[in-house]
Amino acid sequence: MSFALLLIQTLNGLQLGILLFLIAAGLTLVFGVMDFINLAHGVQYMIGAYFAAMFCTWTGNFWLGLLLTLPAALAFGLLLEVLVFRHLYARDHLEQVLATFGMIIFLNQAVKSIWGAAPLSVPVPEALSGSIQLIEGLNYPIYRVALILTGLAIAVLLYFVINRTRVGMLVRAGATNTKMVSALGVDINRLFMIVFGFGTMLAGLAGAMVAPILSVEPGMGDNLLILTFVVIVIGGIGSIRGAFIASLLVGLIDTLGRAFGPQILRGLLEPAAASQTGRSLAPMLIYILMAAVLFFRPTGLFPVKK
Amino acid sequence: MSDTFTTPGAATPVDLAVQKRAGVDRKTTWVIVMFAVLALVPLFAKLGAEGYILSIFTRVLIFSIAALSLDILLGYGAMVSFGHAAFLGIGSYAVGILSAHGNDNLVAHLIVAIGASALFAMATSTISLRTSGVYYIMSTLAFGQMLYFVGVSLSAYGGDDGMTLANRSRIFGSTMLASDTAFYYIVLALLIVFYVLAHRLIASRFGRVLRGIRENPQRMRAIGFEPFRYQLLACTLAGVMCGIAGVLLANQASFVSPAYMTWQRSGDLLIMVLLGGAGTLAGPILGAATILLLEEWLSGLTEQWKLIFGPLLVLSVLFARGGIIGLIGKLGGQRHD
């Protein structure tokens, strides 16, 4: 376990964490304000990646493609909100889960029908290709560094919007007591459109940003969605700060566990057993973490006070 | 779901008892008709593609058992488990792993499946039940995923690809399960046994307490019932029942794979219960049959059947509250419970 490898894996973990945060931020706010579980949020991430692939091919330019992807992802999210989600807010959680599960089935297949089952790829933009030297003899792709920095910048921005602006104040108030906010004369439906649209766009942005480094394929949002749920449960539903900390925690533990789990166990077990146990245990780590958090704090690390 | 939780309202106890007796008798008749139709399936299967029809309907029965077990949690305990497919996985891996080591005795498979399911249910529920609402849904989902990844990492047992079983389980050397028709009737018999057991369970003191907790845990606590113990027992029983369904599923498909315990599979089970009618015991069976037959029919119609299936789910949630049983009740002009 050399230092260089540890550094690389830590950066990879950070990158996964940032990605999770971009998706979890929208999900946790939508849940916090509207008490609405949206399983189809992972689909927004997939749609973002597909839009990026499509627009980048059309325009032949990554930045133009990204610029077109954001409004397109936003429009698509709002369309779904008006057509389906709006009718689910007053329903109980189980019905929300099932209806949005139906949406996943439909949208995954629709994406497959439109763009085909084969993965698409998006070239890394010219300006961010290549790699930089972190320490002696260790290079890391610039694009991934840019991805981490962008994510951190968005997190900071989000922190200011939520804590320092009027809209942010309303969102926080909405997460605490929706009825009271509504009674005080705030158009809660409009507020929710804003929150939902913003969350959708962040998920779309996450998809667009990873399009150059991951393969763009149907169902790519499904597994990430589950991780995102782990994140918001650990962080406390409705809390942006919780989502941020939990995202990084989950990203790092998952990545480092998979990379070093078998090696660490080798000190305790014989090699064959260590590698098998390590491979079984590593993917379980974040769920064990979640179980531990829930055992001691059943409403997550940073519960929103109701 | 709130409309499935009907309360007696203003009717006097005597009225209610009379109504209820008439309702129960009619319901029992319909349930007997349903099982009779299922018992006739192998005869009809002889008219057509026998193996194909039998295999679909055997799956319907197996998923009926799984959905029935989920309904005990969901419909009677208001515990929305989004990780119930984990138990299908435990049951099928009990068959797969024992068979891989040369033990193909059904009794051994069942004992291991029941023990492992009970242990897993107790361990995970102890944590999940500390939470409520969405946290409960999400924690069950996460535990299901955890087990899924364990399945994927078991490279000695096929890993991601799963493994094919050499033969169906034997009952102390007897190969009676090898016959599709015999297997069908054994699964049907098990379904009926589980149906009757679940019926008894719900009507028992335990079932009443469970339903009380569903309506109002605080009041139940106030009159001296600690919800956790009852909920934990319900989770364990439901887990064991679904684990047995897993043993049957592995035998039906002669195949074991982590795909049995994906979160999508757990979602399917929830849909079966909700579409059929949560909080009714016949509902999950009707739901399982509807979903599996619809899938089969649509996928024969077009390769892109999910484009139809997905919106159907959304529409059924939006417009068919109370599920199929609820619709039947509305058509017949009577209330359901």
Side-chain angles (χ1 to χ4, degrees):
Chain A
M1 198 197 314
S2 69
F3 175 69
L5 194 58
L6 184 66
L7 189 64
I8 285 193
Q9 293 298 352
T10 307
L11 284 173
N12 286 344
L14 266 182
Q15 186 205 308
L16 176 62
I18 291 288
L19 184 64
L20 286 174
F21 172 68
L22 289 180
I23 304 170
L27 198 61
T28 201
L29 282 182
V30 165
F31 193 86
V33 179
M34 268 339 244
D35 203 25
F36 171 54
I37 309 184
N38 182 11
L39 291 190
H41 199 70
V43 172
Q44 301 288 355
Y45 160 81
M46 175 181 73
I47 292 287
Y50 269 97
F51 278 169
M54 182 174 73
F55 289 129
C56 289
T57 317
W58 274 8
T59 59
N61 181 317
F62 178 80
W63 304 109
L64 268 180
L66 193 63
L67 208 64
L68 288 173
T69 299
L70 289 181
L74 175 68
F76 185 75
L78 291 181
L79 180 73
L80 293 186
E81 203 266 343
V82 171
L83 284 181
V84 184
F85 299 151
R86 186 168 284 188
H87 309 287
L88 293 167
Y89 299 151
R91 299 302 188 84
D92 64 39
H93 291 146
L94 177 62
E95 290 178 320
Q96 294 170 350
V97 163
L98 291 187
T100 52
F101 182 65
M103 301 279 292
I104 296 183
I105 295 176
F106 172 74
L107 290 170
N108 275 343
Q109 182 64 42
V111 160
K112 207 183 277 181
S113 307
I114 297 172
W115 285 287
L120 305 180
S121 66
V122 175
V124 175
E126 194 83 10
L128 298 177
S129 57
S131 50
I132 53 168
Q133 194 172 35
L134 293 176
I135 52 168
E136 190 69 30
L138 173 66
N139 293 320
Y140 198 72
I142 296 180
Y143 188 80
R144 288 172 184 260
V145 176
L147 213 153
I148 294 172
L149 293 178
T150 314
L152 288 176
I154 291 173
V156 171
L157 184 75
L158 210 56
Y159 180 82
F160 273 101
V161 170
I162 297 283
N163 288 299
R164 295 279 184 273
T165 66
R166 190 179 161 75
V167 173
M169 184 188 73
L170 292 177
V171 168
R172 276 180 295 143
T176 312
N177 191 333
T178 317
K179 278 194 189 123
M180 184 61 80
V181 175
S182 183
L184 290 173
V186 174
D187 184 348
I188 202 78
N189 290 329
R190 209 179 111 241
L191 175 68
F192 184 64
M193 281 283 273
I194 295 172
V195 172
F196 187 87
F198 195 65
T200 294
M201 210 165 65
L202 280 183
L205 175 68
M209 289 200 326
V210 297
I213 52 174
L214 296 179
S215 62
V216 179
E217 56 193 350
M220 66 187 278
D222 292 6
N223 287 328
L224 213 60
L225 174 81
I226 307 295
L227 285 184
T228 315
F229 275 122
V230 172
V231 163
I232 67 171
V233 165
I234 291 178
I237 294 170
S239 160
I240 284 281
R241 185 170 54 142
F244 183 70
I245 292 170
S247 297
L248 296 187
L249 216 59
V250 167
L252 285 171
I253 289 182
D254 193 49
T255 310
L256 295 177
R258 282 171 202 262
F260 301 114
Q263 288 187 31
I264 293 169
L265 283 175
R266 209 160 289 166
L268 306 168
L269 302 165
E270 48 187 309
S275 88
Q276 174 60 46
T277 326
R279 258 182 293 134
S280 311
L281 268 179
M284 289 171 65
L285 279 178
I286 53 166
Y287 300 105
I288 295 170
L289 171 75
M290 192 194 79
V293 168
L294 285 181
F295 188 80
F296 294 107
R297 309 195 56 151
T299 47
L301 293 175
F302 300 96
V304 173
K305 289 184 183 64
K306 293 273 180 189
Chain B
M1 229 163 59
S2 57
D3 61 344
T4 58
F5 303 158
T6 51
T7 40
T12 65
V14 180
D15 281 351
L16 205 72
V18 174
Q19 261 177 21
K20 221 173 170 182
R21 207 169 303 138
V24 164
D25 284 346
R26 196 176 302 159
K27 246 194 306 189
T28 316
T29 318
W30 279 112
V31 169
I32 291 171
V33 168
M34 180 176 77
F35 284 128
V37 169
L38 286 172
L40 290 176
V41 164
L43 299 181
F44 286 112
K46 285 203 192 305
L47 302 175
E50 189 180 1
Y52 172 71
I53 294 175
L54 263 185
S55 89
I56 291 175
F57 274 88
T58 311
R59 282 173 68 82
V60 166
L61 296 181
I62 294 170
F63 278 97
S64 295
I65 296 176
L68 189 63
S69 73
L70 180 58
D71 191 33
I72 294 175
L73 297 181
L74 180 69
Y76 295 96
M79 288 173 273
V80 182
S81 168
F82 204 158
H84 208 56
F87 297 103
L88 283 180
I90 293 176
S92 51
Y93 270 91
V95 177
I97 292 177
L98 285 177
S99 298
H101 294 284
N103 185 339
D104 59 3
N105 189 342
L106 181 69
V107 177
H109 295 169
L110 282 174
I111 289 172
V112 171
I114 290 170
S117 301
L119 272 180
F120 184 75
M122 279 193 268
T124 59
S125 301
T126 303
I127 294 167
S128 297
L129 286 173
R130 290 174 68 90
T131 67
S132 60
V134 191
Y135 287 95
Y136 182 82
I137 303 181
M138 293 307 151
S139 61
T140 49
L141 174 68
F143 284 125
Q145 277 304 100
M146 190 169 97
L147 209 62
Y148 166 74
F149 284 117
V150 172
V152 169
S153 73
L154 288 175
S155 47
Y157 305 104
D160 209 2
D161 298 327
M163 57 180 159
T164 307
L165 303 177
N167 53 272
R168 284 202 176 138
S169 302
R170 296 196 168 116
I171 305 170
F172 295 113
S174 146
T175 57
M176 69 185 284
L177 290 189
S179 148
D180 283 342
T181 311
F183 186 62
Y184 180 88
Y185 280 114
I186 288 171
V187 177
L188 180 61
L190 274 173
L191 174 62
I192 294 173
V193 167
F194 281 130
Y195 181 90
V196 173
L197 281 179
H199 194 77
R200 285 274 176 94
L201 186 77
I202 297 305
S204 71
R205 178 175 174 280
F206 170 79
R208 282 162 195 268
V209 175
L210 196 63
R211 280 180 288 164
I213 295 166
R214 171 186 78 188
E215 301 299 329
N216 194 329
Q218 258 151 353
R219 280 191 194 166
M220 291 307 284
R221 201 174 282 129
I223 58 172
F225 294 99
E226 179 51 44
F228 175 76
R229 290 166 49 202
Y230 292 90
Q231 290 174 321
L232 184 68
L233 183 57
C235 289
T236 311
L237 289 176
V240 165
M241 203 162 140
C242 194
I244 294 173
V247 170
L248 299 173
L249 186 63
N251 272 298
Q252 188 272 329
S254 295
F255 181 66
V256 174
S257 106
Y260 291 160
M261 39 182 170
T262 58
W263 65 273
Q264 286 93 341
R265 187 63 84 183
S266 296
D268 287 346
L269 290 177
L270 279 175
I271 290 166
M272 288 170 188
V273 175
L274 203 75
L275 186 72
T280 64
L281 292 176
I285 301 173
L286 289 177
T290 310
I291 293 288
L292 290 176
L293 296 178
L294 192 67
E295 263 185 30
E296 204 59 43
W297 179 59
L298 286 177
S299 60
L301 224 56
T302 160
E303 209 171 289
Q304 321 235 342
W305 60 278
K306 284 179 177 169
L307 287 180
I308 308 169
F309 188 70
L312 274 183
L313 280 186
V314 178
L315 291 176
S316 72
V317 170
L318 286 178
F319 299 110
R321 305 186 76 176
I324 297 172
I325 296 273
L327 283 180
I328 294 174
K330 261 178 228 155
L331 292 178
Q334 52 166 301
R335 298 197 322 182
H336 58 282
D337 62 15

